Amino acid sequence: MNEMPGREPLPAPTVSDLSADRHRELKDVFMQTITEAPQRTAARRRWALIIAPATAVAVAAVAIGAVTLTGPKANDASNATAPTVASDSGDDAGPLLERIAFTAAAQPGTTVGADKFVYVHSKVAFAGQPKGRGSARLDAVHDREIWLPQSKGVTAQFRENGKMVRIPDVTPNSAYANLPTDPDALLKRVYKEGKVFSKNGAGQDANAFQYIGGAVSESLLSPEVTAALYRVAAKIPGVQRVKDSVDAAGRHGVAVGRTDQKGERHVWIFDARTFAFLGERSYLVKDMEWGKAGMLTGTTAVLKRGVVDKVGQLPR
């Protein structure tokens, strides 16, 4: 996986420490575990990847009352321009994913000690519905930093919009790093882990694709595991090469994507020269109750990764 230039536990925040946007996202985690609401977006899937269901219920208990999008961070997601909504090329993504996997396998690995944290700095924006109804809106692109523990039982934390939030019971980095590299075993594992999204109506193939996307976005994996994940992604039905896509930092790149059963396309973007993972993008390809075809539902850009000793620390 690409090496890009960019945790001590903090007190748990009170309810007032969380912004309205963050309350909404935490509530969405809870809702994803109990319902098949059709309006789920990329933000909700990302949260489900890193928060165990029991934790989702716990954080939702304090977040469920405050879910209104407010201020300049709420933008109309339907305003996404045509260049950001790339269509599939119709080409199978297998050859491109093999080149990406081959390149990933040749990268130097990074050792993550059992007591360390993986730091990931991204630019992100996700769509959500004001007060849980009506047309979806897209957050302004903003910084997101996460300190993910290597070992189970250690509290992760993330920082967005100036707020630090603790995330107990996360899936540790080692759970991703220890994925099998045997193609058949890994494919079964990916589909098994993707079941966390089983109630979102996207379909099991889409869930497997999203699981891999989460694994390569906010973790630090060995070259072998990274390459194996990309090769397995090529085995998921419906994965296509995308003509062009752009991440949340404005970087264009080659891409692969898949449209789920609901009509939302999810795209992974790679540097056209180095094949380094840049970020993700998701958008609607058909009209839904909460948004029109072409609406951007999520965008990310990974800017920095590294290994640190504690929460709040940045890689050198």
Side-chain angles (χ1 to χ4, degrees), residues 270-291:
F270 302 86
D271 185 277
R273 181 178 61 85
T274 66
F275 297 117
F277 179 85
L278 296 181
E280 299 172 278
R281 179 167 290 264
S282 60
Y283 43 86
L284 299 183
V285 296
K286 71 177 185 179
D287 291 347
M288 294 190 182
E289 180 181 350
W290 51 274

Side-chain angles (χ1 to χ4, degrees), residues 7-313:
R7 292 180 224 232
E8 191 95 40
L10 299 177
T14 62
V15 173
S16 61
D17 285 336
L18 300 178
S19 67
D21 290 356
R22 184 53 50 217
H23 278 299
R24 169 179 55 80
E25 289 189 0
L26 295 179
K27 180 196 173 192
D28 287 343
V29 180
F30 171 66
M31 296 306 293
Q32 178 165 307
T33 67
I34 63 172
T35 182
E36 285 188 312
Q39 66 271 22
R40 287 185 181 81
T41 64
R44 300 162 193 177
R45 284 185 294 277
R46 175 55 43 77
W47 277 107
L49 283 172
I50 62 173
I51 303 180
T55 304
V57 174
V59 295
V62 299
I64 201 164
V67 296
T68 304
L69 286 170
T70 59
K73 295 182 177 60
N75 299 319
D76 186 350
S78 65
N79 287 335
T81 57
T84 69
V85 185
S87 61
D88 293 344
S89 66
D91 296 331
D92 177 70
L96 175 58
L97 282 168
E98 178 55 37
R99 293 179 67 188
I100 292 168
F102 180 84
T103 304
Q107 301 305 306
T110 300
T111 300
V112 185
D115 60 341
K116 304 297 184 181
F117 291 81
V118 169
Y119 170 84
V120 183
H121 174 204
S122 304
K123 291 285 188 182
V124 303
F126 299 113
Q129 291 173 293
K131 299 183 179 179
R133 60 181 181 272
S135 298
R137 287 178 161 185
L138 187 72
D139 293 338
V141 174
H142 58 278
D143 289 295
R144 168 181 167 88
E145 297 172 283
I146 186 168
W147 288 266
L148 184 68
Q150 171 69 3
S151 301
K152 186 176 181 181
V154 182
T155 299
Q157 296 188 46
F158 70 89
R159 179 163 54 204
E160 285 188 52
N161 298 319
K163 302 295 183 181
M164 186 77 87
V165 180
R166 296 163 63 92
I167 322 169
D169 301 326
V170 298
T171 299
N173 185 72
S174 59
Y176 295 122
N178 292 329
L179 287 169
T181 56
D182 174 78
D184 293 334
L186 182 56
L187 186 62
K188 290 179 181 179
R189 181 73 172 272
V190 164
Y191 272 83
K192 178 182 177 181
E193 298 296 339
K195 287 182 179 179
V196 69
F197 311 123
S198 62
K199 293 186 178 181
N200 68 6
Q204 65 175 359
D205 294 331
N207 296 341
F209 187 76
Q210 285 299 296
Y211 172 78
I212 296 175
V216 300
S217 294
E218 291 192 328
S219 65
L220 188 57
L221 309 177
S222 70
E224 296 79 14
V225 169
T226 304
L229 283 168
Y230 290 137
R231 289 187 170 111
V232 161
K235 297 178 179 292
I236 297 174
V239 178
Q240 299 278 311
R241 181 165 181 163
V242 176
K243 292 179 180 179
D244 174 68
S245 197
V246 58
D247 70 9
R251 301 174 298 189
H252 284 260
V254 295
V256 299
R258 191 184 187 285
T259 302
D260 65 28
Q261 293 179 0
K262 300 180 299 179
E264 189 174 9
R265 179 173 289 136
H266 312 282
V267 176
W268 307 338
I269 309 162
F270 302 86
D271 185 277
R273 181 178 61 85
T274 66
F275 297 117
F277 179 85
L278 296 181
E280 299 172 278
R281 179 167 290 264
S282 60
Y283 43 86
L284 299 183
V285 296
K286 71 177 185 179
D287 291 347
M288 294 190 182
E289 180 181 350
W290 51 274
K292 300 293 185 181
M295 187 185 84
L296 188 64
T297 58
T299 179
T300 74
V302 178
L303 304 179
K304 184 183 296 185
R305 296 182 198 266
V307 179
V308 297
D309 295 327
K310 60 184 180 180
V311 169
Q313 188 177 58

